[in-house]
């Protein structure tokens, strides 16, 4: 079945460590997105990529980094510079410019202790 | 840039009662409009979408939404709520022309269903 796979579902890290969240899609979508979700704040855009080897900062990119070396993959690294990294992270994809519907992964809950 | 407002943080209804969740948007033209549902600890699932045409849109799970251009609204409705509808609901907009083609989401409305 086509879809978006995020792994792991739960992730625990010590403060000061970098951590990478995986996002893979087999929908042949051009565009991919990373959102952060905190209670009562909805979804806030971290980074997005509309084509391979290109990505743009979203509203809350500080302390995060991404890469888009393959169409199917859009990993997110949460660096030690992110002041409050504990959150629920959602990856999404869409066809891109001509199809607006976004498909979501199941999310990764990151807890930094 | 577009924006989305969901004025109700929480909505409580009794099972079997009707439901309306509000969504207002700000955009220079008519955007593409979406409603998503999220169960705890899960991703978002698309309920319905509006691109153009008939302003009353039918979705999955018995939901419908009506686009009202004059009010810049896209409210979600269900005639009879089931306990399994308890979840978080998000309204989203996507620019229909120009812009950076990024979906923007509202803050969500949490639906609580009483038996």
């Amino acid at each position: 079945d086509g879809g978006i796979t995020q792994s792991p579902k739960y992730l625990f890290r010590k403060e000061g460590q970098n951590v990478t969240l995986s996002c893979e899609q087999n929908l042949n979508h051009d565009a991919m997105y990373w959102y952060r979700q905190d209670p009562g704040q909805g979804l806030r855009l971290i980074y997005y990529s509309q084509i391979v080897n290109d990505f743009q900062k979203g509203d809350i990119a500080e302390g995060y980094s991404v890469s888009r070396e393959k169409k199917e993959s859009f990993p997110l690294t949460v660096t030690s510079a992110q002041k409050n990294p504990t959150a629920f992270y959602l990856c999404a994809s869409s066809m891109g410019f001509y199809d607006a519907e976004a498909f979501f992964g199941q999310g990764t809950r990151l807890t930094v202790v | 840039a577009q924006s989305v407002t969901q004025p109700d943080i929480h909505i409580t209804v009794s099972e079997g009662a009707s439901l309306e969740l509000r969504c207002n948007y700000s955009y220079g033209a008519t955007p593409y409009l979406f409603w998503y549902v999220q169960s705890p600890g899960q991703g978002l699932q698309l309920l319905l979408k509006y691109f153009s045409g008939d302003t009353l849109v039918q979705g999955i799970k018995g939901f419908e939404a009506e686009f009202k251009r004059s009010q810049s609204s896209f409210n979600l409705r269900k005639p009879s709520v089931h306990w399994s509808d308890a979840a978080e609901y998000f309204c989203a907009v996507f620019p229909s022309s120009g812009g950076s083609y990024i979906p923007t989401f509202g803050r969500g409305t949490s639906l609580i269903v009483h038996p």
Side-chain angles (χ1 to χ4, degrees), chain A residues 9 35 37 50 101-102 105-106, chain B residues 36 38 41-42 49 100 103:
Chain A
K9 188 168 178 64
Y35 291 91
Q37 187 175 22
Q50 293 182 320
E101 180 179 343
Q106 292 301 295
Chain B
Y36 287 85
Q38 183 184 34
Q42 301 296 315
K49 59 187 177 185
S100 54

Side-chain angles (χ1 to χ4, degrees), chain A residues 17-96:
Chain A
Q17 290 182 335
N18 292 355
V19 61
T20 297
L21 283 60
S22 171
C23 178
E24 303 277 334
Q25 54 99 357
N26 60 3
L27 300 167
N28 199 33
H29 284 172
D30 288 313
M32 297 187 74
Y33 313 87
W34 274 106
Y35 291 91
R36 171 178 171 144
Q37 187 175 22
D38 298 284
Q41 297 200 46
L43 278 67
R44 293 184 290 168
L45 183 66
I46 304 172
Y47 268 97
Y48 65 99
S49 168
Q50 293 182 320
I51 197 168
V52 175
N53 292 322
D54 184 61
F55 50 83
Q56 305 296 328
K57 292 182 179 180
D59 300 320
I60 57 165
E62 185 175 352
Y64 300 96
S65 66
V66 294
S67 63
R68 187 84 188 277
E69 298 176 0
K70 299 187 298 181
K71 188 175 186 178
E72 306 80 28
S73 179
F74 191 42
L76 173 74
T77 296
V78 184
T79 75
S80 57
Q82 169 50 233
K83 299 303 180 188
N84 186 19
T86 294
F88 190 56
Y89 291 88
L90 285 162
C91 179
S93 71
S94 73
M95 285 291 288

Side-chain angles (χ1 to χ4, degrees), chain B residues 3-59:
Chain B
S3 66
V4 182
T5 301
Q6 292 181 247
D8 303 305
I9 298 174
H10 302 283
I11 290 279
T12 301
V13 299
S14 298
E15 192 169 15
S18 63
L19 171 70
E20 183 170 33
L21 302 182
R22 295 183 290 165
C23 173
N24 293 95
Y25 67 89
S26 174
Y27 182 63
T30 298
Y32 301 141
L33 295 157
F34 304 84
W35 274 100
Y36 287 85
V37 61
Q38 183 184 34
S39 297
Q42 301 296 315
L44 276 67
Q45 179 185 21
L46 181 70
L47 284 175
L48 45 79
K49 59 187 177 185
Y50 173 78
F51 283 9
S52 65
D54 192 346
T55 57
L56 186 62
V57 180
Q58 300 299 319

